[in-house]
Each structure stands twice: as C-alpha cells, then as structure tokens.
Amino acid sequence: MTSFTNFTNIQSIYERGNKNNKMIESMSGYGTYSEVSENQSIDVEIRSLNSKYIDISINIINPLKILELELRNLIKDSLKRGSIYLYVSIKSVKSFVKPILNKELFWQYLKILSEIQKESDILDDIKIEHILACDNIIVYEQENKLDDELREFIIMGVKHAVLNLKEMREKEGVKIKRYLDEQIKNLSLINSKIRQKADGQIKNIFNKIKKRLDLLISEIEDERIMQEVAIFAQKSDITEEVDRIDSHIAQFNEIAEKEYPCGKKLDFLTQELLREFNTIASKAEDIEIKKLVINAKTNVNEIKEQIQNIV
C-alpha cells in the first residue's frame, strides 16, 4: 500500500468543510500538494479566478483521463463557482503503457527478409536483431485500467490541494466580509437619515405649495392647500422604498452570515437596492435626500464590486 500521509484526516476535513461551510469565500485562490510514496509521487496545482459560473479545466496525462469526470465533480462540489484550473503530475513505478508485438507487420518483415536472402544468395541466418531493427515491430498501448491504490493516491492528492485552495479563499473571504459589513452598516445609516428627512418632507411640501399659492391668491383656505399637499405628497412618498431598503439590508446580512454560496443572491440584492434608491431619487423633492441617495448609490456600487469576487 502507499504511504500517503493522513488519508483519513484529509477525507474527514474535506467532507466536514464541504458540509459546514457557511462563510463568505473569495473566488480567487491557489493550492498545491506534493506527496511521495514508495510506489509513486504526485504533484498537484489548482488555482481559481472570478467567473460568473463554474468553469473547470483539467490537465492530466492521457492514461489517467478516466479520472477526469470524478475530479471534475469533486471540484464542482467543493468550490461551487469560479474559473478553475487543475494540473496533476504523477510518477509511478507502474508503467502506463505496455509493449505489444505487431504480428502482421512482423510476418511481412520476415517474408521480405527471406526474399532478400534468396535473391542475394546470403547464407546468414535471419536473427532476432534483424527483426527488431525493423520499424514498428513493437508498439506501445496505453493502459486503460487504473488500480485502486493509484486512484486513491490521485484523488486524495487533489482533495488536499483543494483544501489548501479553500483555506486561501476563506482567508480572503474574511477580509471581504469585514469590508461588506462596514459598507452595509454605512448604507443602513444613510437610509435612516433618508427616513428622517422623508418624515419632514410633507411639512416642506406644505410650506412650498402655500408659498406658491400666496403669490397667486390673496386668501387661500388651508383645506385647499391640504388637498394639494395630499396629492403632491402621495406622488412624493418614499416610505415604501425606505422600508424595502431596510428589508433588503436585513436579508443581505442574513444571507452573508448563513448561506454558502451566496455571491449570486447578494448580487441580486444589490441590484434591488440600486433600484429602490433610484426610485427615491426620482420621487424625492428634498435636496438633502437626493444627496444622501448619491452617497448610498456609491456605497452600493462599492458593495457590488466586492461581491463579484465571492463564491
């Protein structure tokens, strides 16, 4: 058997990581692994970059390509998303090719050598070295079978490299999460200020309409003014948008804390946040609210940019 170190430990960590991972994880990462046993050695390199979906490229020698589907599923289950490149180099005492006698060619060459003997009156016997000197007498075929020991050696090597890559992605994910927490907190504060401004917007609308009407009519009934204010306020009401923003922020925090993968959902929420702030900007009359919306949209775009980096 191979002397591959910590087989059981690698498998248990790998399965536990896939099952319990609830943290934000970067899509960018790099992992390697090397192992030498008495029968074989392996070098594995895996790296991942940002991608909207999961795109896997595997570089492995032909005799081992029968493992490609298994390796592809292994990567897909563990890494979920990203443009991923896997390279596996294996050296084994077991040959991946076997020599085979090309019998048809052998008899053709033997016949030709016999004819040469007769035509030239050469008395020497036809010897084995004469046959071996002919091209393609022996051909080499690749082995299609992969024994369990070598398969386990390769699978565990790749799993170890994937764990190293995930560790790097998780460390980067911690930094991204910290940044997102700060930005989403700022966004919540901005929305609170918008809510406060929105509460005083009706009074401002009342005064604005009354002032306009005062210029046109000397005596105006407050009831008429209130009717005008009510109509205008209805068009300018941003309460629902502000409430939805608070709801989106709460949902954003919950997803970021509890779900994996979460990048696509968070990206969708940032689009919804931008849509609500755009609606507020189109409805609000208060210049301070418009300024706050500009800050909020800048904030959301910074969040959105970071989300493109996570699984």
Side-chain angles (χ1 to χ4, degrees):
M1 292 296 293
T2 63
S3 62
F4 198 109
T5 57
N6 298 322
F7 259 20
T8 305
N9 189 41
I10 291 171
Q11 182 66 20
S12 61
I13 293 173
Y14 179 82
E15 291 176 353
R16 188 168 65 250
N18 283 342
K19 183 177 179 180
N20 298 329
N21 188 4
K22 296 294 183 183
M23 64 188 298
I24 280 182
E25 186 179 293
S26 170
M27 266 191 283
S28 300
Y30 180 77
T32 61
Y33 189 72
S34 297
E35 177 75 18
V36 179
S37 77
E38 59 186 56
N39 295 327
Q40 55 240 335
S41 65
I42 189 172
D43 290 294
V44 182
E45 176 185 333
I46 185 167
R47 61 177 181 267
S48 65
L49 299 171
N50 293 359
S51 176
K52 195 171 184 179
Y53 306 102
I54 185 162
D55 180 26
I56 303 170
S57 298
I58 297 177
N59 187 342
I60 192 169
I61 60 175
N62 274 332
L64 302 179
K65 282 190 178 293
I66 56 175
L67 278 178
E68 187 168 331
L69 180 59
E70 187 173 359
L71 293 176
R72 189 175 295 276
N73 289 335
L74 183 159
I75 292 169
K76 189 184 298 183
D77 289 343
S78 182
L79 301 181
K80 307 298 181 184
R81 192 176 171 207
S83 179
I84 298 159
Y85 172 81
L86 172 68
Y87 170 75
V88 181
S89 174
I90 187 86
K91 294 179 181 178
S92 175
V93 294
K94 174 184 169 73
S95 176
F96 294 123
V97 294
K98 60 181 180 180
I100 297 176
L101 175 64
N102 189 333
K103 293 182 179 180
E104 183 178 352
L105 201 58
F106 167 77
W107 289 112
Q108 289 177 359
Y109 277 129
L110 189 58
K111 182 179 178 181
I112 290 172
L113 290 172
S114 297
E115 290 178 358
I116 292 173
Q117 259 187 332
K118 293 177 182 179
E119 294 293 331
S120 61
D121 294 327
I122 294 176
L123 299 178
D124 287 348
D125 294 333
I126 299 173
K127 299 179 180 179
I128 188 67
E129 56 262 30
H130 301 145
I131 302 294
L132 292 176
C134 299
D135 293 336
N136 300 320
I137 286 294
I138 297 176
V139 294
Y140 296 88
E141 286 188 355
Q142 292 179 345
E143 289 273 16
N144 291 323
K145 293 182 180 179
L146 187 67
D147 62 58
D148 291 339
E149 181 180 336
L150 182 57
R151 177 193 166 279
E152 185 179 34
F153 192 70
I154 295 168
I155 294 297
M156 285 300 172
V158 172
K159 283 184 177 181
H160 205 303
V162 168
L163 286 174
N164 289 339
L165 182 142
K166 280 183 70 69
E167 182 180 1
M168 183 176 180
R169 298 206 323 181
E170 287 169 1
K171 286 181 180 179
E172 186 63 26
V174 170
K175 297 177 184 177
I176 295 174
K177 176 66 164 55
R178 192 179 300 124
Y179 177 84
L180 290 177
D181 286 344
E182 182 181 343
Q183 295 301 317
I184 208 74
K185 183 179 179 180
N186 290 339
L187 195 64
S188 184
L189 290 173
I190 292 173
N191 199 45
S192 295
K193 292 179 181 179
I194 291 175
R195 186 183 293 279
Q196 293 170 6
K197 293 289 182 181
D199 292 340
Q201 190 170 221
I202 302 300
K203 183 178 179 180
N204 293 336
I205 291 172
F206 177 88
N207 293 331
K208 189 174 182 180
I209 293 176
K210 189 175 186 303
K211 186 176 180 180
R212 287 179 181 177
L213 292 176
D214 282 342
L215 296 175
L216 301 174
I217 306 173
S218 58
E219 293 183 2
I220 306 168
E221 294 180 1
D222 285 345
E223 184 178 350
R224 174 66 186 279
I225 296 174
M226 290 307 297
Q227 289 176 351
E228 295 293 331
V229 169
I231 294 171
F232 198 80
Q234 188 174 8
K235 295 179 180 179
S236 304
D237 185 18
I238 59 174
T239 304
E240 288 187 10
E241 286 77 16
V242 172
D243 287 343
R244 280 197 292 267
I245 288 169
D246 279 342
S247 176
H248 292 332
I249 288 173
Q251 192 176 1
F252 186 102
N253 287 328
E254 184 175 5
I255 291 171
E257 288 290 340
K258 298 180 179 180
E259 294 192 25
Y260 174 86
C262 63
K264 290 182 179 180
K265 284 189 177 181
L266 295 183
D267 186 56
F268 172 77
L269 282 175
T270 57
Q271 293 178 44
E272 291 298 297
L273 285 167
L274 283 174
R275 187 171 68 84
E276 299 297 348
F277 281 117
N278 283 331
T279 303
I280 290 174
S282 66
K283 292 172 72 172
E285 288 293 312
D286 192 300
I287 189 66
E288 292 301 320
I289 290 179
K290 291 182 180 293
K291 288 180 180 179
L292 287 169
V293 167
I294 292 173
N295 292 337
K297 288 174 65 176
T298 300
N299 212 245
V300 174
N301 281 324
E302 290 175 355
I303 293 171
K304 188 175 179 66
E305 184 177 342
Q306 285 299 315
I307 288 172
Q308 306 310 308
N309 299 323
I310 67 176
V311 177

